[in-house]
Amino acid sequence: MSIDNATALPTLVVLISGSGSNLQAFIKAIETGRLKARIAAVISNRAEAYGLRRAADAGIPTDIVSHRLFDNRENFDQVLQDKIDAFQPDLVVLAGFMRILTPNFVRHYEGRMLNIHPSLLPLYKGIHTHRRVLEDGGNEHGVSVHFVSPELDGGPVIIQAKVPVLPSDSESSLAERIQEQEHVIYPQVVKWFVEGRLKLVNNQATLDGNALTRPIQHLSA
């Protein structure tokens, strides 16, 4: 692929805090031609995030904005926003980015920022979702991809994948099966977005011009 063709592709900035397994799924989707996009940068709030190594190995520019250097969320978000905007991305992708974002930051990227959350939203917003499902004796769990809104894990949900909760499950075994589904549905949603098929209209997700009155249900193999 020529440099001119590469720079003409829709651009993503991916935000991470940890291992970057979903980032790796995006990289693979791009390398195989499934996702016609370019990751312009990967930014982390943690210098030790393994996902930064994944990005570097793939030749993707990286940056670190440590939340520990700021005394409030507003200042952190402003510096992060400036870093992102320098790349002029078409889409900002939160991939295990463990920071609560301020309303002004979210509004700045309205309709062009996605997040993935390990639960069947609106159930189990916040953290420790696998533990909470097991403590509640739930028989079903899953993962949701949604547009980001000022409400934590409250934006319009685009797609979900469900997995059964097995009697033998631990947090780690449940998380592993959830993650397998994440790596399928998140690249798919990003693909829809960069192809112009997925939009946020009047705070409602639309696909191919049709309002998603309920999340698309991905059927796992």
Side-chain angles (χ1 to χ4, degrees):
M1 178 183 296
S2 71
I3 292 176
D4 288 343
N5 287 340
T7 55
L9 290 169
T11 58
L12 318 176
V13 168
V14 182
L15 306 186
I16 64 169
S17 295
S19 71
S21 68
N22 277 303
L23 167 65
Q24 193 66 54
F26 300 142
I27 292 171
K28 181 179 179 181
I30 290 170
E31 288 177 344
T32 60
R34 177 185 171 204
L35 177 58
K36 306 293 186 183
R38 177 177 66 92
I39 302 176
V42 173
I43 304 175
S44 178
N45 64 309
R46 297 182 181 275
E48 67 275 17
Y50 183 72
L52 293 171
R53 182 181 298 181
R54 295 182 192 268
D57 289 346
I60 300 168
T62 63
D63 206 342
I64 300 163
V65 183
S66 174
H67 60 281
R68 299 183 181 94
L69 301 179
F70 300 87
D71 56 8
N72 60 62
R73 288 196 290 134
E74 287 76 14
N75 289 343
F76 168 78
D77 280 7
Q78 185 58 60
V79 171
L80 179 62
Q81 180 178 310
D82 291 344
K83 295 276 190 181
I84 294 169
D85 286 352
F87 295 98
Q88 298 182 310
D90 297 288
L91 179 66
V92 178
V93 184
L94 308 184
F97 188 63
M98 303 302 291
R99 299 297 300 167
I100 296 175
L101 299 167
T102 55
N104 284 342
F105 182 94
V106 172
R107 281 192 286 268
H108 181 71
Y109 298 107
E110 183 178 7
R112 55 191 183 105
M113 184 159 61
L114 298 172
N115 185 42
I116 192 162
H117 182 73
S119 81
L120 297 172
L121 291 172
L123 301 175
Y124 301 108
K125 297 179 180 181
I127 60 175
H128 304 309
T129 62
H130 312 312
R131 180 187 310 170
R132 290 154 64 193
V133 168
L134 291 171
E135 288 175 348
D136 288 348
N139 57 16
E140 189 175 61
H141 193 29
V143 59
S144 306
V145 178
H146 64 96
F147 280 106
V148 179
S149 72
E151 179 189 351
L152 178 65
D153 299 326
V157 179
I158 301 153
I159 193 170
Q160 295 178 325
K162 298 178 180 179
V163 301
V165 178
L166 306 177
S168 59
D169 265 329
S170 63
E171 283 186 62
S172 59
S173 66
L174 191 52
E176 184 176 345
R177 295 207 312 283
I178 292 291
Q179 200 169 71
E180 290 175 359
Q181 298 305 313
E182 291 180 10
H183 299 165
V184 175
I185 67 172
Y186 212 179
Q188 179 62 63
V189 172
V190 172
K191 181 176 187 289
W192 287 335
F193 185 92
V194 300
E195 290 175 347
R197 298 176 59 194
L198 174 68
K199 299 180 186 295
L200 184 68
V201 180
N202 296 325
N203 200 38
Q204 187 165 44
T206 67
L207 184 64
D208 297 331
N210 299 311
L212 299 178
T213 57
R214 62 186 64 184
I216 296 167
Q217 297 299 313
H218 171 72
L219 300 178
S220 57

